[in-house]
Amino acid sequence: MGGISPAGTRDEGRTGAVELTGRLVCGDLDEAAAVRRHLPEHVALTRAEPGCLRFAVEPTEDPLVWTVSELFVDRAAFEAHQARVRSSPWSEDTSGIARDYVVESVTPDPTPTGASRGLDDDHHRRTQGAAHG
């Protein structure tokens, strides 16, 4: 499956972070085993990428579902992540697994504590199976 492309989105040319949230939903126990097999390396490589601010893939009570939460410093860092993942063992073994993701441009946070953040809801985009996580 292809990565998320910024082409045609209304946030082209804007600065700010990119946040992806959602779920990875396996169809069976074999897909779940592939996630568990590749997840430690996938997480470590992603967290080491320039511009990665947050990357978490956590199991839920359902053994076939994981929650996904990503935050990249900007669109370029997010796209670089997507490009790296497309040629990874993670992608090869999990590309058929359903993804229910929302990708949003996040406006810079003016508060010094980081207690709140602004989401640019006009640039909210839902993806299904497009991002590799």
Side-chain angles (χ1 to χ4, degrees), residues 3-6 74-84 86 125:
I4 294 175
S5 170
D74 59 19
R75 176 68 56 182
F78 178 73
E79 291 299 325
H81 164 68
Q82 292 293 307
R84 182 197 62 80
R86 278 192 289 276
R125 187 161 48 131

Side-chain angles (χ1 to χ4, degrees), residues 19-23 54 68-70 100-104:
E19 182 175 50
L20 180 150
T21 56
R23 300 179 316 145
R54 178 181 71 235
V68 180
S69 178
E70 305 177 12
D100 182 16
Y101 292 161
V102 173
V103 177
E104 298 174 304

